[in-house]
Amino acid sequence: MDRNLLPAIAAFAEVAREGNFTRAAAKLGITPSALSQTIRALEEKLDIRLLNRSTRSVSATGEGRVLLAQIDPGLAAIAHAVGALQDARRRPTGEVRINSSRIAASHLLLPHLAEFHRRYPDIRLEIVVDDEFGDIIREGCDAGVRLREDVGDGMIAVPLCPPISLAVVGSPAYFAANPAPAKPTDLDRHNCLGLRHGMSSTIAGWELTDPDDGHSFLIQPQGSFVVNNDDMVLNAALQGVGLAIHMDFAVRRHIEAGNLIRVLEDWCPPFDGFNLYLATREQMPPKLRAVVDFLTEKRRAATAGGQRPTA
């Protein structure tokens, strides 16, 4: 069937139900003459007379009644589907998939899950934990969470937290046996724990910045332990195995508890933190808008309170 005929068939059904071109045209938002031309073109296309017309009334022919009986269930189903879609635009509902690095999911998303569920019980939130740099479009995700520097140029980025910084830390037991480094070159004499991102063959460098001239440089960690999970690196540091570098918010509670000591703080300036990113703001569904607005609200509250992401 020629799908271009669907608007004309729906117009025919409206006229047949109303028995009047003027009333049907008003419901369809067109002029009676335009509606009459649409029906006449449909009849010519089908080579079947669908309506009997007089100066006073309009009624379906026998063929028109058969057609109306057969198309009515389909038109009702379409109307129901469109109504459900419009209702969803008014009430956030459905699935939202977010691709996030593990650390961002742990510190920026998971702490707020209970409150989000109370506010939006009809949204099914799926968090896809991925420490690689996945393509949210290809992977069927609605949004992603990454550091601002890792968000592609074509994406819309929404900040999720205030600026953050890296922190070089070690345990009191480690520093009892090793003098604290005063400058990055001192790290050559320390057991610096290594981290690989995902299945990368490269150990991540420690990015530090000279507080005097702002020059940034990478130090390649040389230590006795390498892993591809930052929680395990942190656990090794807590055990006194060596020094680790981590996001400041992820080690804050350990520093406050006295289980870790921070060093080289002047060499770790703040930088743009994590962002929620999505392909476009246009025609954003209410379910995704609810997520964006909720996380933006949490970021503003944290900024106003001078907080960093929860540890």
Side-chain angles (χ1 to χ4, degrees):
M1 185 194 112
D2 184 353
R3 297 191 178 209
N4 293 324
L5 295 178
L6 286 175
I9 290 174
F12 154 72
E14 201 63 55
V15 175
R17 291 192 205 99
E18 290 293 331
N20 182 282
F21 272 97
T22 301
R23 289 196 299 269
K27 294 185 70 173
L28 293 171
I30 60 177
T31 65
S33 60
L35 179 56
S36 179
Q37 291 173 13
T38 296
I39 300 301
R40 196 168 299 280
L42 174 64
E43 291 175 324
E44 291 175 357
K45 181 73 175 179
L46 299 177
D47 195 22
I48 298 173
R49 186 172 184 82
L50 299 174
L51 296 172
N52 289 317
R53 305 162 177 83
S54 73
T55 56
R56 296 184 178 181
S57 64
V58 177
S59 63
T61 64
E63 292 83 356
R65 289 193 296 272
V66 170
L67 178 61
L68 182 63
Q70 292 178 335
I71 65 175
D72 249 352
L75 292 174
I78 293 172
H80 176 76
V82 171
L85 186 63
Q86 292 173 330
D87 182 60
R89 288 207 55 83
R90 293 186 290 269
R91 178 175 56 86
T93 184
E95 181 181 84
V96 175
R97 301 183 78 234
I98 300 177
N99 181 298
S100 173
S101 64
R102 188 207 56 77
I103 189 170
S106 297
H107 295 275
L108 294 172
L109 303 180
L110 294 182
H112 305 303
L113 279 184
E115 181 180 352
F116 183 83
H117 177 68
R118 286 195 298 270
R119 288 200 204 177
Y120 304 105
D122 295 324
I123 294 179
R124 181 175 183 266
L125 190 63
E126 179 177 349
I127 299 174
V128 180
V129 176
D130 177 12
D131 282 327
E132 302 294 333
F133 303 106
D135 184 330
I136 60 171
I137 304 300
R138 185 181 65 245
E139 295 170 4
C141 292
D142 301 285
V145 179
R146 289 293 184 278
L147 288 173
R148 182 64 184 90
E149 64 188 41
D150 296 325
V151 176
D153 292 337
M155 294 289 172
I156 304 298
V158 181
L160 290 188
C161 66
I164 59 179
S165 64
L166 295 173
V168 180
V169 294
S171 72
Y174 178 85
F175 286 123
N178 301 276
K183 54 187 182 300
T185 53
D186 295 339
L187 293 173
D188 292 340
R189 298 187 294 275
H190 284 270
N191 191 27
C192 297
L193 308 177
L195 173 69
R196 299 185 196 276
H197 292 298
M199 300 305 294
S200 171
S201 60
T202 304
I203 297 175
W206 293 17
E207 184 173 355
L208 302 172
T209 301
D210 191 318
D212 294 326
D213 61 17
H215 173 67
S216 295
F217 53 94
L218 286 177
I219 289 182
Q220 206 60 40
Q222 302 295 326
S224 63
F225 184 66
V226 178
V227 71
N228 65 350
N229 180 292
D230 48 13
D231 275 347
M232 294 180 70
V233 170
L234 180 56
N235 190 278
L238 287 165
Q239 293 183 51
V241 176
L243 299 182
I245 192 167
H246 212 317
M247 302 288 182
D248 59 350
F249 58 78
V251 298
R252 185 188 313 118
R253 64 185 176 92
H254 299 295
I255 294 173
E256 293 173 348
N259 297 321
L260 289 175
I261 297 171
R262 186 173 184 178
V263 296
L264 300 176
E265 186 168 356
D266 290 344
W267 296 80
C268 299
F271 55 91
D272 288 340
F274 287 94
N275 281 237
L276 181 77
Y277 66 97
L278 48 152
T280 180
R281 291 183 185 272
E282 295 180 5
Q283 298 176 324
M284 188 185 302
K287 59 183 181 180
L288 183 55
R289 169 57 65 189
V291 172
V292 172
D293 289 347
F294 177 84
L295 293 176
T296 299
E297 173 191 318
K298 294 304 168 188
R299 186 258 301 170
R300 288 173 177 163
T303 302
Q307 303 173 1
R308 298 282 179 88
T310 55

